[in-house]
Amino acid sequence: MCDFYDPDVNVTDTVTSRLANSGVRVTGARREVLRAIASIEGPFTIEELAAALPEVGRATVYRTVKLLQESDFVCRMVLEDGGIRYELSQGDHHHHLICSQCGRVSEFVDPGLDAIIQANADRRGFDLAGHSVELYGLCAGCR
Amino acid sequence: MCDFYDPDVNVTDTVTSRLANSGVRVTGARREVLRAIASIEGPFTIEELAAALPEVGRATVYRTVKLLQESDFVCRMVLEDGGIRYELSQGDHHHHLICSQCGRVSEFVDPGLDAIIQANADRRGFDLAGHSVELYGLCAGCR
DNA sequence: TTTAATGCAAAGCCTTTGCAACCTC
DNA sequence: GAGGTTGCAAAGGCTTTGCATTAAA
């Protein structure tokens, strides 16, 4: 579901060059949004992103995030309460641990989990295109 | 996450009596909403529910579903696209297979999957309160 | 009779869209 | 210079809320 980034290169540069290669214009606003996303650690909301970018119109923030999402540079996650957060795409497919107390989201990878999910889909004749696993509770720091 | 229903008793009656016992008034509108929910097979949207209840105000539909949700008689699920659906609470904890084509949602239970999720939480010092697993793709009928 | 529940309409949120001005390429 | 982008404001969805009326208990 999510793309890889070359760990040796600045994320913002990587994305802008890929964007340029795909025929999309690299504008000031887009650079700003990318910089803001890169500077935010972890998942973010449109609200947070827009707050960090007072000089960029909200509509542009929405449009840019959508663009990045469609290009797989960021991926979207839906929280337990229906709230939506985005995050820079990580290299590998992963799942989320969401703390109900502090709201922090951490990630984990478990190929065994993915395999068992695939097996469940197969067993029911379901052609699996994707899946999401979210764990809710208290993180180590909040418990 | 979801409650049990006594399989020998009509769901609507079960809920209304439990509701009454908890000091909530059993009104005509609430009975109507319950009947509509029971008659819809599988998960439903507020939209669908309201459409099935032209004589009940939309605000009441929202309020009643919220009430039922807070009482654990229905549970809420968030789809891949952020859309929200509700369903009568099932006895056991389960997961969803959501067809991207026809939108139908089916359920499955897999204790092994739940165990592996719990193990991941434990491994990271996370106090697990709940989790959601949603599979997206094409159902057997649509593929 | 008391007071929770209802229904309507208005208000709130969040997100998208129309459009003229603007900026990449 | 041409056409994709931006920003503003308006419009759209969906959900909640205020309030007078209605109806459970």
Side-chain angles (χ1 to χ4, degrees):
Chain A
M1 246 176 196
C2 296
D3 260 349
F4 275 100
Y5 288 115
D6 181 340
D8 298 332
V9 182
N10 175 289
V11 175
T12 306
D13 292 347
T14 306
V15 177
T16 47
S17 64
R18 289 202 197 173
L19 238 34
N21 287 337
S22 64
V24 174
R25 287 190 183 170
V26 177
T27 65
R30 285 179 180 162
R31 252 188 285 262
E32 297 271 310
V33 172
L34 278 170
R35 195 178 318 145
I37 289 177
S39 76
I40 293 174
E41 49 178 82
F44 56 90
T45 61
I46 292 286
E47 184 55 37
E48 292 164 355
L49 193 53
L53 294 163
E55 71 282 8
V56 177
R58 231 188 174 66
T60 299
V61 173
Y62 274 103
R63 283 186 283 228
T64 305
V65 170
K66 186 176 222 170
L67 174 75
L68 293 172
Q69 193 194 331
E70 288 167 349
S71 319
D72 278 330
F73 291 120
V74 304
C75 53
R76 194 173 89 149
M77 48 188 282
V78 181
L79 272 55
E80 194 174 20
D81 64 356
I84 291 174
R85 280 180 176 269
Y86 300 86
E87 67 182 333
L88 258 184
S89 295
Q90 303 298 319
D92 34 26
H93 173 75
H94 62 277
H95 307 298
H96 295 118
L97 290 149
I98 303 163
C99 181
S100 324
Q101 184 90 53
C102 65
R104 207 156 305 169
V105 180
S106 50
E107 299 157 7
F108 71 93
V109 175
D110 184 343
L113 177 52
D114 295 334
I116 212 173
I117 283 173
Q118 180 68 59
N120 272 287
D122 293 345
R123 198 173 306 148
R124 290 166 186 79
F126 196 82
D127 183 16
L128 193 64
H131 67 259
S132 81
V133 176
E134 319 273 12
L135 315 205
Y136 307 105
L138 294 179
C139 70
C142 290
R143 63 189 301 181
Chain B
M1 245 177 198
C2 295
D3 259 348
F4 274 100
Y5 288 114
D6 181 338
D8 298 333
V9 182
N10 175 289
V11 174
T12 306
D13 293 345
T14 307
V15 177
T16 47
S17 63
R18 290 201 196 171
L19 238 34
N21 287 339
S22 64
V24 174
R25 287 188 185 172
V26 177
T27 66
R30 286 179 178 161
R31 253 188 284 264
E32 296 272 310
V33 172
L34 278 170
R35 194 178 321 143
I37 289 177
S39 76
I40 294 174
E41 49 179 80
F44 56 90
T45 61
I46 292 286
E47 184 56 36
E48 291 164 356
L49 193 53
L53 294 163
E55 71 282 7
V56 177
R58 232 189 173 64
T60 299
V61 174
Y62 275 102
R63 283 186 284 230
T64 305
V65 169
K66 185 176 221 170
L67 173 76
L68 294 172
Q69 193 194 331
E70 288 165 350
S71 317
D72 278 330
F73 292 120
V74 304
C75 52
R76 195 173 87 148
M77 49 187 282
V78 180
L79 271 54
E80 193 175 23
D81 65 356
I84 291 173
R85 279 180 178 267
Y86 300 86
E87 64 181 335
L88 258 185
S89 294
Q90 301 300 317
D92 35 25
H93 172 74
H94 61 277
H95 307 297
H96 295 118
L97 291 150
I98 303 162
C99 181
S100 323
Q101 183 90 53
C102 65
R104 207 157 303 167
V105 180
S106 49
E107 298 157 7
F108 71 93
V109 175
D110 185 343
L113 177 54
D114 296 334
I116 213 171
I117 283 173
Q118 181 67 58
N120 273 288
D122 293 345
R123 197 172 308 149
R124 292 167 183 79
F126 196 84
D127 184 16
L128 193 64
H131 67 259
S132 80
V133 176
E134 319 274 12
L135 315 206
Y136 307 105
L138 294 179
C139 71
C142 289
R143 63 189 302 183

